[in-house]
Amino acid sequence: MSEPAAVDLGTGEQETGGTRRGRGDRASGGAAARRAARSGGGPGQQLTYIKRQIPVYEVLNEEGLALIEANADTVLEETGIIFRDDPETLELWRQAGADVRGERVHFPRGLPRSLLKTAPSIYTQHARNPERSVQIGGDATVFAPVYGPPFVRDLDGNRRYATIEDFRNFVKLAYMAPSIHHSGGTVCEPVDVPVNKRHLDMVYSHIKYSDKPFMGSVTAPERAEDTVAMAKIVFGDDFVENNTVLTSLINANSPMVFDETMLGALKVYARHNQACIVTPFILAGAMSPVTVAGTLTQVLAEVLAGNALTQLIRPGAPVLFGTFASSISMQSGAPTFGTPEPSLVSYGAAQLARRLGLPFRTGGSLCASKVSDAQAAYESANTLNSTILAGTNFVLHAAGWLEGGLSSGYEKFMMDIDQLGMQQRFAEGVDLSENGQAMDAIRQVGPGSHFLGCDHTQANFQTAFYRSTIADNNSYEQWLAEGEKTADQRANELARRWLESYEAPPLDQGIDDGLNDFIAKKKESMPDAFT
């Protein structure tokens, strides 16, 4: 089960002359420098995960939060949650004191919340390169790529089914991207590999072509077990059992159902002390009420039930409060993105997660556009801005999402990671150091002059402002001379340069051999299956 493949719920998817010359000369030099940097092909220095220095934005007061929490408790008590085809889970809930009626579990008020007291509010997901390990929770924000699309929008402008080569390419791009902190999971679905074996190639690609942390397979419990086994080849048995090296995406089948596939994967990862992002996948109006408060109530109820289950399996296992909330067109039924209501859900859910003391996941660079156009940019910016201001800890779909999650786009990926770099700079907040105050510059320049040549500007000009890798800020004449390229054309060229200059991070030969032996034996043990 992949979260982001959006469901089609209706009819389908969706300033005098002298001054100006002087400015032009200076701009020309700056543009030349930027072009030189871009043409080098390299992406620049890797950035650590974000340690936010800005406050969160909140939309609910204490009364509103308490109301939604009480309503969620009522839903859990009166309506209940279905745990489908999983007698083991039902028995765990029965032993915990819940009222189990068939496959539906009704929860005494406060039971899930009390169980979650053992879940960590902050934990580390370890990468095979310790410098790439990330903090999940607290003031940290981690960006991870798009997850789940079966299609790609490739560098030749084609929309087609994704292949394992595409998968490797997106892993490489995520590895090279300074503002991507996590390799992600199913960056696209490689349909040229058998369904029952592709998880092996996908997990291996994350390990081989990147040294950032990664996500595990959730499409079957045995595939989750394979992921854990491969992680143990990399990190060692004891390390995996006592530390978190994997994150997995566990979706609720909203409204108020967890299916056996997701439950099976959740139980595997929780037993091995690996992180689960329990996420209601909601298109409001179809999978939840049309209102923000109603959707938040359902989200909280589903999260409480799913997250608490991890603590029944292994108290202390890391778990995230996840939400993926979008809206639908009430005319066509198609999913919509970048609209106000899902942002309000994200803000409110983040507040609820903090009250529970759990790390929070939401948002990304979401859009319904089929290509990297203005619609894609506006919708993605709206989603990403609210994601950062909400205080999100783990951001899935941070780069590459197109077509409501049906496609991973190469140009979109490059344009998104440029925006992620801007968000990383924004999250640093205001520098109030002596250099940040710039009083020496103000004293040196005085009234009526300019700051271009002062000592402070000269000392800071290389790092003073974020430099986009995609945007063109040159004069119109320069833009014409350079081929009238659009943003997506520049992104296309940048992606090609990055892939041409890619160098794999070192991987111990013994580990690589062990992984390949494991994969070969697993593949030999079963026939190919494409359904």
Side-chain angles (χ1 to χ4, degrees):
M1 177 180 178
S2 302
E3 163 191 301
V7 180
D8 183 358
L9 297 169
T11 57
E13 304 273 305
Q14 29 354 331
E15 190 193 321
T16 68
T19 302
R20 186 176 179 86
R21 283 194 298 273
R23 178 180 179 276
D25 292 338
R26 289 190 298 272
S28 179
R34 288 192 294 276
R35 285 197 303 274
R38 288 198 292 260
S39 64
Q45 181 180 358
Q46 289 286 320
L47 302 172
T48 62
Y49 62 87
I50 295 173
K51 305 169 186 69
R52 294 192 313 277
Q53 301 297 316
I54 55 173
V56 296
Y57 183 78
E58 300 188 333
V59 297
L60 292 168
N61 58 21
E62 175 62 31
E63 181 182 4
L65 290 166
L67 176 64
I68 289 169
E69 289 171 337
N71 287 346
D73 284 345
T74 299
V75 170
L76 289 168
E77 183 180 40
E78 296 181 0
T79 305
I81 304 290
I82 289 176
F83 295 86
R84 183 172 290 154
D85 293 335
D86 195 330
E88 180 187 16
T89 293
L90 296 172
E91 182 58 29
L92 285 170
W93 280 121
R94 186 177 289 110
Q95 293 176 11
D99 178 13
V100 180
R101 309 175 196 171
E103 293 185 328
R104 189 179 301 202
V105 179
H106 299 259
F107 303 83
R109 299 183 81 88
L111 174 61
R113 196 179 303 274
S114 67
L115 292 169
L116 284 169
K117 291 179 180 179
T118 58
S121 59
I122 298 174
Y123 69 92
T124 297
Q125 183 181 353
H126 296 270
R128 69 177 183 88
N129 177 356
E131 294 182 0
R132 299 284 178 258
S133 297
V134 294
Q135 174 184 308
I136 307 295
D139 290 330
T141 293
V142 172
F143 289 137
V146 61
Y147 183 111
F151 299 101
V152 296
R153 172 68 64 172
D154 68 21
L155 290 170
D156 295 320
N158 302 310
R159 179 191 186 271
R160 56 171 174 77
Y161 280 109
T163 67
I164 192 63
E165 181 181 5
D166 293 308
F167 190 97
R168 293 169 183 151
N169 283 343
F170 281 112
V171 170
K172 292 173 182 179
L173 291 172
Y175 164 67
M176 298 179 77
S179 54
I180 291 281
H181 316 111
H182 197 286
S183 195
T186 309
V187 290
C188 62
E189 188 78 29
V191 301
D192 58 334
V193 182
V195 170
N196 60 330
K197 300 179 180 181
R198 65 180 61 153
H199 67 287
L200 299 165
D201 296 301
M202 293 157 71
V203 172
Y204 177 74
S205 295
H206 283 298
I207 297 170
K208 176 70 172 180
Y209 301 110
S210 178
D211 60 3
K212 296 179 179 182
F214 60 95
M215 300 177 72
S217 175
V218 297
T219 52
E222 58 269 23
R223 297 170 196 169
E225 292 282 11
D226 287 344
T227 305
V228 173
M230 293 175 72
K232 288 184 174 182
I233 294 172
V234 177
F235 294 95
D237 287 22
D238 290 343
F239 191 89
V240 170
E241 290 298 330
N242 294 286
N243 299 273
T244 300
V245 303
L246 296 166
T247 294
S248 62
L249 179 62
I250 307 297
N251 285 135
N253 192 352
S254 303
M256 294 167 286
V257 174
F258 285 90
D259 65 44
E260 66 277 15
T261 300
M262 292 289 97
L263 291 170
L266 178 148
K267 288 187 290 187
V268 169
Y269 288 116
R271 286 192 182 111
H272 290 286
N273 196 42
Q274 303 308 303
C276 295
I277 311 172
V278 177
T279 302
F281 178 50
I282 286 176
L283 302 180
M287 300 169 178
S288 75
V290 296
T291 63
V292 171
T295 295
L296 280 170
T297 296
Q298 182 182 315
V299 165
L300 180 57
E302 294 176 2
V303 165
L304 283 168
N307 284 22
L309 176 59
T310 66
Q311 303 308 293
L312 288 177
I313 295 164
R314 181 167 173 167
V319 64
L320 290 79
F321 184 127
T323 184
F324 181 96
S326 184
S327 52
I328 63 170
S329 166
M330 300 309 290
Q331 288 71 46
S332 70
T336 57
F337 298 91
T339 52
E341 295 82 8
S343 291
L344 291 169
V345 171
S346 293
Y347 287 129
Q351 292 181 256
L352 294 165
R354 285 190 288 272
R355 283 163 72 90
L356 280 170
L358 295 176
F360 179 64
R361 170 260 161 150
T362 194
S365 300
L366 310 182
C367 67
S369 182
K370 316 308 177 283
V371 296
S372 301
D373 58 5
Q375 178 184 343
Y378 278 120
E379 292 178 353
S380 294
N382 284 343
T383 309
L384 186 58
N385 287 338
S386 62
T387 298
I388 296 302
L389 291 174
T392 305
N393 301 118
F394 190 89
V395 183
L396 200 54
H397 315 309
W401 169 292
L402 278 174
E403 200 182 336
L406 288 171
S407 291
S408 297
Y410 282 85
E411 292 96 346
K412 180 63 159 48
F413 192 95
M414 303 308 291
M415 296 167 75
D416 286 341
I417 62 175
D418 185 43
Q419 294 298 305
L420 299 182
M422 295 187 192
Q423 293 290 349
Q424 181 134 6
R425 176 63 68 89
F426 175 71
E428 293 173 0
V430 178
D431 177 9
L432 295 177
S433 67
E434 183 177 352
N435 182 70
Q437 295 173 60
M439 291 301 293
D440 53 342
I442 296 172
R443 292 188 182 103
Q444 180 182 350
V445 173
S449 187
H450 63 75
F451 288 83
L452 292 171
C454 81
D455 295 340
H456 184 271
T457 300
Q458 293 300 306
N460 288 277
F461 80 96
Q462 289 186 314
T463 59
F465 306 114
Y466 180 85
R467 298 183 182 186
S468 172
T469 57
I470 300 295
D472 182 285
N473 302 303
N474 300 328
S475 69
Y476 177 74
E477 292 76 15
Q478 288 170 323
W479 177 72
L480 286 176
E482 293 177 4
E484 307 175 54
K485 294 174 182 175
T486 60
D488 59 328
Q489 289 173 323
R490 294 189 292 274
N492 184 294
E493 293 176 358
L494 190 61
R496 292 177 184 274
R497 288 200 298 271
W498 280 25
L499 291 172
E500 288 170 1
S501 65
Y502 167 82
E503 295 181 8
L507 177 63
D508 180 88
Q509 189 61 53
I511 291 175
D512 198 13
D513 291 344
L515 290 167
N516 281 294
D517 287 346
F518 176 86
I519 292 169
K521 291 176 182 177
K522 292 297 294 189
K523 287 187 175 183
E524 290 170 3
S525 70
M526 52 188 165
D528 292 352
F530 283 91
T531 57

